[in-house]
Structure formats: structure tokens, C-alpha cells
Amino acid sequence: VPCLILGRSKREHSMIAECRLCLQSKELKDSHIWPAFTLRWLKKNSLSPYLRTVGEPNKRKQELPTEKLLCGVCEGKFSRWEDQAATNIFKPWNDHRKLPLSYGSWFQKFAISLVWRAGVSLYEDYKDKCPDLIDCFDKALEHWRLYLLGENKAVKPYEHHVFFLTTTKNLEIPEKFHAYCLGGFDYSYVATKHRVYMYFLIPGMLFFSSIQPTKLRSCKGTLIGKKGEFRPAQVLGEGEIGSFLIS
């Protein structure tokens, strides 16, 4: 499966700095923005062990990019949720492409950890390009940070969604769209003058979270609750999210 990666970071030497989650000064790890289990699965199931970036399509890589974001303790916190998400959701979906799939509170934490680390990684770019909504962005990132630390028990007012991707013959879609959806890695913010969302893609699964407005009213079967079950016939109703995916 061809793989697309949009990454911006380079591996650095060990360093002592503020962990972006717990805000303590510690030795920071080389944190993956995309969970490492996604790469392991892709290498196992791909015809090629190499990855290619959108920016450098002719340059082969074997690892996902990392950034100095988290200390070892916070990395371990994320890893526990990632292990459960990999075993109970990611692998069953990508191996069999069948719903329903059940989940517990760990999946909500996993999803929020994805969009939070993406938001931290993209923060300076967002502040430069979308200054009118930077207060909304700041508020969401801090809310998610405290939730991930266990200091804030409320997920609301924000919503977190996941859309399970598969092949389709019913849409006019760009070339290599299926390769992007089923073997791609991407994260971004999706912003208009009055709206902003976070967008996070791993193979076969698209996560998206509301920032402004805080609710996504036209999606069906995609909302991640404290626990539940994802069923077939999901609807990706938000125009900006669907348009960004197709583009």
C-alpha cells in the first residue's frame, strides 16, 4: 500500500526542557506524533517497508518523524491508551474492515491525545496563519492537556469523532485517494474565517475534533463517547472536513 506522510520534524539529541503535557522540566523523549503501532502495522502489511513524504516523494524513509514533546512518564501514559486502541480498534478494522467495534474510556483519551499533540506541533504555524481564532485554539489545547493529565474530567464542550475509511466507487475522487486513506499519515488544522477543527489521519481511520464551533452537528455515528460501539453507516457530514479529506 503506498503511504503518504506529512511531517515536519527532525530527530534531535537528548535534551532537558519543559514537557508539553505535565509542564515539568525533564529529559524529553523523541515523541511520535503518529502512534508507533501504526507504522509497525503498515510495514507488516505493505509491499514495501519504505515510506514517502508528500514534500519529498522520491526520498524513501523507514521511520515516522518525531518531536521533543514529552517526558518519559507522559510518554508511558499515552502508550497505555495506544496499546488498547491498537488491539481493540485499529488492527481489527484494518485487518477485516468490519463494524461494529466496541471501545472504553481509553479510546476517548487516545483520540484526544492525537489531536492535542498535533495541535502542539502545529501551534506556531496556526498562530501565524489564523490569528483571529488563536484564543479558541489556546483554550482547546489547554482543556485537552488538563484532561489527559486527569486534572479535568470533562470532555465537553468539545467533541471528538472518528470516521472509518474504506474503498468507495460512488464518488469522483482524486488519483491515489484510496492509498492516502488506507495507508496514509496526515494531521492538520482545518480553518475558515469563523471555524476551526483538528484533523488527524492514520491508516484507515480519520479523527477530527471541534474547536470552533465546539459541536459538529451533521455527522452520524462518528462521535467518540466515554464508552460505546461504532456501527456501520457512518456519515461524515461536516463540509469542511469532507472537503479537506477529498482535497
Side-chain angles (χ1 to χ4, degrees):
V1 179
C3 177
L4 306 176
I5 304 175
L6 298 182
R8 287 157 289 281
S9 62
K10 296 181 180 180
R11 184 175 297 273
E12 300 176 6
H13 299 295
S14 61
M15 59 181 287
I16 304 294
E18 182 181 81
C19 171
R20 300 300 294 272
L21 188 65
C22 69
L23 304 184
Q24 296 184 30
S25 181
K26 295 184 178 181
E27 181 178 344
L28 300 187
K29 302 296 183 180
D30 290 308
S31 301
H32 287 96
I33 305 299
W34 296 282
F37 71 76
T38 58
L39 178 60
R40 291 194 295 269
W41 178 88
L42 192 68
K43 284 184 174 181
K44 180 180 177 181
N45 291 277
S46 177
L47 296 177
S48 170
Y50 296 103
L51 309 170
R52 298 177 187 272
T53 68
V54 172
E56 298 176 298
N58 296 320
K59 186 176 181 180
R60 302 189 302 179
K61 300 183 178 182
Q62 289 187 296
E63 297 295 334
L64 292 171
T66 60
E67 295 186 25
K68 296 290 188 181
L69 294 180
L70 302 175
C71 66
V73 173
C74 292
E75 276 278 347
K77 185 189 296 284
F78 282 16
S79 294
R80 290 191 291 274
W81 304 330
E82 290 175 3
D83 289 345
Q84 291 173 301
T87 300
N88 296 289
I89 301 292
F90 177 82
K91 291 178 182 177
W93 171 249
N94 279 290
D95 289 345
H96 305 294
R97 294 278 188 266
K98 290 183 179 180
L99 297 177
L101 289 171
S102 299
Y103 64 93
S105 60
W106 44 266
F107 193 64
Q108 196 172 60
K109 294 180 175 70
F110 169 71
I112 294 173
S113 78
L114 296 182
V115 294
W116 174 81
R117 67 186 100 175
V120 170
S121 176
L122 294 169
Y123 184 79
E124 293 301 325
D125 183 77
Y126 179 85
K127 184 171 67 172
D128 179 59
K129 294 180 180 177
C130 305
D132 292 343
L133 291 175
I134 190 61
D135 289 345
C136 296
F137 203 71
D138 285 337
K139 187 177 179 180
L141 289 182
E142 180 63 6
H143 186 96
W144 298 340
R145 186 186 72 83
L146 293 175
Y147 176 82
L148 294 171
L149 283 174
E151 297 179 13
N152 179 4
K153 303 297 182 182
V155 174
K156 294 182 179 180
Y158 306 101
E159 290 185 351
H160 304 276
H161 296 251
V162 62
F163 187 75
F164 292 88
L165 299 161
T166 187
T167 56
T168 178
K169 297 180 180 179
N170 299 323
L171 297 173
E172 293 185 7
I173 56 177
E175 184 182 2
K176 298 183 179 180
F177 176 73
H178 287 140
Y180 173 74
C181 289
L182 303 183
F185 297 83
D186 197 1
Y187 65 87
S188 184
Y189 53 83
V190 181
T192 65
K193 186 176 181 179
H194 302 293
R195 294 171 177 255
V196 59
Y197 315 95
M198 289 304 301
Y199 170 107
F200 199 105
L201 176 73
I202 59 177
M205 299 171 65
L206 171 62
F207 293 84
F208 52 101
S209 298
S210 60
I211 294 181
Q212 178 62 33
T214 58
K215 294 185 180 296
L216 305 176
R217 300 186 183 278
S218 56
C219 299
K220 178 181 177 182
T222 60
L223 181 66
I224 304 171
K226 187 172 183 179
K227 62 179 180 179
E229 184 178 71
F230 297 112
R231 292 186 169 275
Q234 290 184 305
V235 175
L236 185 62
E238 285 295 316
E240 290 90 346
I241 299 294
S243 298
F244 190 84
L245 175 65
I246 293 292
S247 66

